[in-house]
Amino acid sequence: MADDSPPVESVVDHDYDLDAPEYYLNRELSELAFQRRVLHEAIDERNPLLERVKFLSIFTSNLDEFFMKRVGGLKQQMAVDVTDTTPDGRTPQEQWEEIMQETRPMFEEQARCYREDIRPALADQGIYVVDHDDLEPHEQQDLREYFERSVLPTLTPLTFDPAHPFPFISNLSLSLAVLTRKSPDAEPKFSRIKIPGNRPRLVQVGDSHTYVPIEGIIAANLDLLFPDVEVLDHSMFRVTRNAEVRRNEEVAEDLIDMIEEVLRERRFATVVRLELEADTPDRVRELLKEHLDVTEREIFEREGPLDYRDLMGLTDLDRPDLKLDPWTPQPHPRLLESRMEEEDRDLFDTIQQRDMLVHHPYHSFSKTVHTFIDDAAHDPDVLAIKAAIYRTSRDSNVIQSLIEAARNGKQVAVMVELKARFDEENNLRWVKKLEEEGIHVAYGTPGYKTHTKTTLVVREEGDDVELYSHVGTGNYHSETAKTYVDIGLLTANKDIGQDLVKLFNFFTGHSMHDQYRELLIAPGNMRKDFEAMIRHEAVVAREGGEGRIVAKMNRLEDPGIVRELYEASIAGVDIELYVRDICRLRPGLDGVSENIDVYSVVGRFLEHSRIWYFENDDPGFYIGSADWMTRNLDNRIEAVTPVENTDLQEELWAILQLNGADNRKCWEMNADGTYEQRRPSADETVVNMQERLMEQKRAAVHEVDQNSWTPGILDDR
């Protein structure tokens, strides 16, 4: 919609207090509901075995991040006695208590799944993950020699006694607690051994498919670390620290120095979780509890491994029978067609002819988005390239292309968000590299995170200058583009290009526009325009027309948007929401949200795209970087673009329809925040949305191949 349209006021008369806490689910508990769906992928016996192993690992990584960020933030609030309540009526203390209660059975279920399902199933397939004690004597001797040669030199036992302070325990490190004494009447001493992260966690036994966790090998050879003393006991433990370390950007003299200080402080931040091996001695438990300053509620005793992340290594085994069929992202048919034509049109000609949608990982990132940037870097007619980088890979080809563009005499400006959580160090590295090449780099915007996924190419064509834009939902990250579902628009639309000119001028300058021709920009016009579009559907429905909203996103958290959707539902608007993760909204409440359905798809690829459809809006379809979260709408720089080409609108509609048709990986949300997975009946065809999209993209390339085959044209796929 045009951002100068008149505001649409709320139009529904009713007696519901839509600000009441009972209409809102808790953000943290909703995220834990999503993590249960992730864990289900490991439990689900319909999935290939190594796919289940992968999700055991993902579940651990996700919960680690949840404790570092969300639990860490709650503990900070509790430390300064914050008692403000969330929209659902909970204080920080109440949320923290419920999280501790909810996560305990989730960890127990993960351990049960590994112990009773995954590990025996791996053994049935000839893949053995065993304890050191299960090995034959000659195998134990071989591993002892391996330990002496390759592991022992990397270990540093740290003893706690009057002469040695309690050792620092780094975040997410796996540690072995060892109790020793020199004589039967001596006081036991505590020592900590950090399990080395630069050694294989699962150690292969000879040439077999038998693997032993390295911590078991270390524990079995403690006599080499502690000679001439008695080893009384050993047990594993793991610490999680708060990652919510922040600084006041307004008073920071140098943003780079500020970020480096945040990284340093994060290493020593408050402990928010202590995981212990089952049957850890009370002496060790109490000592860790005291010196790590944790409460009993923050201690989690675990049966089995404390860290499942390294199981991901098993997915690299050459066992295609235990995996999903491999997927190779496909070239975009439009680009194949242009290369097959006699004139061999370049990418800019193709975009000028008609906008393009790129859909990852179904379309190749390297053959679409990176090609767009790389072609611009080497095109003699390109005058300037501007890009906003939120996250990128450590060996980013996109960054390398921008560097080459600068070397080729282009004007290059790059916005690198230094505050991208857990990617600060990587982004700092790239900032320094870009600046060494003389590229204009903006580090971020005080008070905001820059979350847009946008690139602008300025190209001289004849006597005019054309603007080519990419506006997407995903990061310029070649690795995550293989596993995250994202969508982007490549367009020569002049109004979109001019809007990006304004946006990039804000990144490198200091004044922000609040009027845009086409784009929805946060924190400028985005919230107002989304609210206006929702309200317009309500007006149409109230007047007897067909009001409809279909939206796909990662998270729906903003109370203001939730209220607008309730108002629209009360007016009679039909609303379908595909929300992967957090959802505050409660569907199916009589009189309030009975016209709203909420679904979540959890599959082999992480659903990360954002798509909106408003039945009575023109053009009706939008894609972009923002979720319907307060942070996205008010506290981040975001960009959402309309999609005006009717062919591309049909593509987006087909994607939304496939979400709704999925009966294999789709979950339906209940009013209480629980979810039920759809399952096809005996006479129903199984519809797996992600598999269908892979089939469609493969078929589209095959069709181009058959219609216009040219030798060698597809060789680089």
Side-chain angles (χ1 to χ4, degrees):
M1 66 176 291
D3 76 331
D4 58 353
S5 6
V8 181
E9 298 300 327
S10 181
V11 295
V12 184
D13 294 324
H14 57 75
D15 296 325
Y16 300 105
D17 177 9
L18 296 181
D19 294 323
E22 60 262 31
Y23 292 117
Y24 297 86
L25 294 169
N26 181 260
R27 181 203 193 285
E28 318 302 349
L29 300 182
S30 183
E31 180 163 350
L32 290 180
F34 167 65
Q35 301 304 343
R36 289 190 192 91
R37 301 195 292 280
V38 171
L39 181 58
H40 179 81
E41 290 297 296
I43 297 169
D44 193 341
E45 295 181 356
R46 297 174 296 172
N47 290 332
L49 180 56
L50 292 182
E51 184 76 357
R52 297 171 68 189
V53 169
K54 180 183 84 173
F55 275 96
L56 270 186
S57 172
I58 291 172
F59 177 78
T60 291
S61 296
N62 288 359
L63 266 293
D64 287 348
E65 185 171 325
F66 177 79
F67 270 84
M68 287 189 289
K69 292 167 60 175
R70 305 307 307 175
V71 177
L74 289 172
K75 282 202 72 173
Q76 282 185 327
Q77 294 178 58
M78 291 159 56
V80 293
D81 297 322
V82 172
T83 57
D84 295 348
T85 58
T86 52
D88 51 282
R90 290 172 170 85
T91 65
Q93 177 76 32
E94 290 169 336
Q95 293 177 81
W96 178 82
E97 290 175 359
E98 288 192 63
I99 288 168
M100 294 298 139
Q101 180 178 334
E102 292 285 328
T103 52
R104 208 167 294 276
M106 295 169 69
F107 291 130
E108 291 170 359
E109 179 62 15
Q110 180 190 30
R112 184 214 61 76
C113 175
Y114 174 71
R115 184 178 62 252
E116 298 179 12
D117 299 342
I118 301 297
R119 191 170 169 179
L122 287 168
D124 289 344
Q125 295 295 330
I127 303 168
Y128 304 95
V129 181
V130 302
D131 297 330
H132 186 271
D133 292 344
D134 297 330
L135 299 174
E136 297 293 332
H138 72 277
E139 293 173 321
Q140 292 181 353
Q141 180 58 38
D142 288 345
L143 288 181
R144 185 175 178 86
E145 293 172 6
Y146 165 78
F147 172 78
E148 284 192 88
R149 182 177 65 253
S150 299
V151 180
L152 180 59
T154 71
L155 301 180
T156 304
L158 298 172
T159 298
F160 174 56
D161 59 23
H164 301 90
F166 188 80
F168 170 72
I169 313 296
S170 54
N171 184 40
L172 299 184
S173 61
L174 198 57
S175 298
L176 189 65
V178 184
L179 290 179
T180 59
R181 66 184 176 190
K182 283 196 172 184
S183 62
D185 58 347
E187 185 73 12
K189 290 188 176 182
F190 168 90
S191 298
R192 179 256 184 161
I193 302 169
K194 181 178 179 179
I195 305 303
N198 54 6
R199 298 280 78 199
R201 173 82 185 287
L202 296 177
V203 179
Q204 189 172 5
V205 180
D207 296 326
S208 69
H209 290 297
T210 299
Y211 301 87
V212 180
I214 192 172
E215 57 265 32
I217 299 172
I218 295 172
N221 293 282
L222 287 174
D223 59 303
L224 298 176
L225 274 163
F226 300 99
D228 301 325
V229 298
E230 180 186 2
V231 176
L232 299 175
D233 195 273
H234 57 78
S235 54
M236 300 300 300
F237 70 95
R238 185 169 179 256
V239 162
T240 309
R241 292 184 180 273
N242 175 26
E244 279 292 295
V245 179
R246 298 181 180 180
R247 283 287 176 274
N248 188 337
E249 300 168 39
E250 296 289 351
V251 300
E253 294 184 7
D254 188 303
L255 190 55
I256 288 181
D257 288 344
M258 187 198 80
I259 294 297
E260 289 175 339
E261 180 64 20
V262 165
L263 291 173
R264 283 191 293 271
E265 291 201 15
R266 193 178 286 167
R267 292 188 62 243
F268 301 97
T270 307
V271 174
V272 296
R273 178 181 59 169
L274 171 62
E275 296 171 276
L276 298 177
E277 183 179 352
D279 301 323
T280 294
D282 288 343
R283 177 188 291 268
V284 171
R285 182 190 186 97
E286 291 305 312
L287 187 143
L288 291 173
K289 179 180 174 182
E290 176 187 353
H291 288 276
L292 296 174
D293 192 23
V294 294
T295 64
E296 195 63 33
R297 280 183 172 177
E298 293 169 298
I299 299 175
F300 292 79
E301 281 203 9
R302 306 284 302 272
E303 295 279 353
L306 299 187
D307 187 351
Y308 290 86
R309 291 176 300 171
D310 295 301
L311 289 179
M312 188 69 82
L314 294 176
T315 65
D316 294 329
L317 293 173
D318 186 18
R319 290 296 302 270
D321 56 315
L322 303 180
K323 303 178 185 181
L324 294 169
D325 291 338
W327 170 249
T328 301
Q330 301 293 293
H332 196 291
R334 288 272 311 282
L335 298 182
L336 288 180
E337 290 168 353
S338 67
R339 290 172 60 189
M340 290 172 177
E341 293 174 356
E342 291 183 8
E343 295 181 3
D344 192 21
R345 286 183 288 114
D346 63 26
L347 176 58
F348 300 107
D349 291 334
T350 302
I351 298 172
Q352 190 69 245
Q353 183 186 52
R354 191 170 76 250
D355 291 355
M356 285 176 54
L357 273 183
V358 290
H359 196 189
H360 314 298
Y362 310 109
H363 291 139
S364 165
F365 177 85
S366 63
K367 298 289 190 295
T368 54
V369 177
H370 178 235
T371 295
F372 171 65
I373 296 170
D374 194 58
D375 283 5
H378 296 91
D379 189 314
D381 295 325
V382 167
L383 305 175
I385 306 174
K386 303 183 181 186
I389 305 292
Y390 187 69
R391 301 185 195 275
T392 191
S393 53
R394 295 180 66 87
D395 56 348
S396 172
N397 289 329
V398 168
I399 296 285
Q400 191 57 46
S401 292
L402 293 170
I403 289 171
E404 290 175 12
R407 291 173 179 171
N408 291 335
K410 321 294 183 192
Q411 289 292 318
V412 180
V414 183
M415 164 67 227
V416 180
E417 179 50 77
L418 293 184
K419 301 185 293 294
R421 189 79 57 87
F422 306 127
D423 274 287
E424 299 99 335
E425 206 166 347
N426 186 51
N427 286 1
L428 274 172
R429 188 181 304 111
W430 281 121
V431 161
K432 293 172 182 177
K433 178 67 174 173
L434 289 166
E435 289 185 331
E436 287 171 3
E437 297 289 338
I439 292 172
H440 303 297
V441 181
Y443 306 145
T445 306
Y448 299 100
K449 276 188 181 179
T450 300
H451 193 244
T452 65
K453 292 82 167 69
T454 50
T455 297
L456 176 68
V457 172
V458 183
R459 189 170 189 256
E460 188 174 32
E461 297 181 8
D463 296 328
D464 206 353
V465 169
E466 296 292 336
L467 303 177
Y468 295 88
S469 307
H470 172 257
V471 182
T473 68
N475 296 303
Y476 294 108
H477 196 304
S478 57
E479 290 307 307
T480 59
K482 297 173 184 175
T483 55
Y484 284 29
V485 177
D486 277 302
I487 201 155
L489 178 72
L490 288 166
T491 180
N493 182 300
K494 288 181 172 58
D495 288 337
I496 291 175
Q498 287 295 339
D499 284 349
L500 286 185
V501 168
K502 292 181 181 180
L503 188 61
F504 279 103
N505 285 345
F506 166 65
F507 292 152
T508 55
H510 68 279
S511 57
M512 188 170 191
H513 295 267
D514 59 5
Q515 297 291 318
Y516 295 90
R517 302 179 186 183
E518 293 277 354
L519 296 182
L520 280 61
I521 299 294
N525 61 336
M526 185 179 292
R527 176 185 287 279
K528 175 174 67 70
D529 282 3
F530 271 135
E531 289 177 348
M533 286 186 278
I534 296 170
R535 292 176 185 180
H536 183 58
E537 296 300 319
V539 169
V540 172
R542 182 66 176 262
E543 294 175 351
E546 297 288 333
R548 187 176 191 186
I549 299 169
V550 185
K552 179 182 183 297
M553 66 198 72
N554 299 332
R555 295 172 170 181
L556 170 53
E557 174 272 343
D558 182 72
I561 294 292
V562 171
R563 182 190 175 101
E564 294 289 346
L565 293 170
Y566 283 152
E567 296 272 10
S569 172
I570 293 169
V573 178
D574 182 49
I575 302 172
E576 295 172 47
L577 302 173
Y578 299 95
V579 185
R580 184 199 74 208
D581 193 335
I582 296 165
C583 183
R584 278 199 188 276
L585 182 147
R586 299 181 61 190
L589 296 174
D590 288 345
V592 174
S593 59
E594 58 195 10
N595 292 317
I596 304 177
D597 295 308
V598 179
Y599 306 96
S600 171
V601 173
V602 180
R604 70 184 289 175
F605 303 133
L606 181 76
E607 291 294 330
H608 193 254
S609 59
R610 291 93 165 180
I611 306 170
W612 295 269
Y613 170 70
F614 299 91
E615 178 93 7
N616 297 285
D617 176 73
D618 183 16
F621 287 89
Y622 297 82
I623 65 168
S625 60
D627 287 314
W628 274 347
M629 299 184 73
T630 302
R631 72 181 189 188
N632 297 101
L633 298 172
D634 298 337
N635 303 318
R636 288 185 171 185
I637 312 297
E638 305 277 6
V640 167
T641 182
V643 177
E644 298 174 344
N645 180 276
T646 54
D647 291 338
L648 303 190
Q649 290 179 355
E650 288 179 8
E651 284 187 47
L652 292 176
W653 184 247
I655 293 167
L656 293 173
Q657 291 296 98
L658 261 180
N659 272 267
D662 191 302
N663 58 15
R664 176 62 183 85
K665 296 292 185 179
C666 185
W667 297 73
E668 186 165 357
M669 185 181 183
N670 299 314
D672 62 358
T674 60
Y675 288 75
E676 295 178 18
Q677 191 177 44
R678 284 178 170 175
R679 295 211 170 210
S681 61
D683 58 347
E684 266 189 305
T685 301
V686 176
V687 178
N688 182 322
M689 173 187 66
Q690 294 182 351
E691 288 185 0
R692 287 285 179 93
L693 286 168
M694 287 188 285
E695 292 168 6
Q696 290 175 8
K697 296 302 186 285
R698 190 184 289 115
V701 169
H702 180 71
E703 183 178 353
V704 174
D705 190 9
Q706 293 299 307
N707 292 341
S708 309
W709 183 77
T710 301
I713 200 74
L714 299 178
D715 292 348
D716 61 350
R717 264 188 292 169

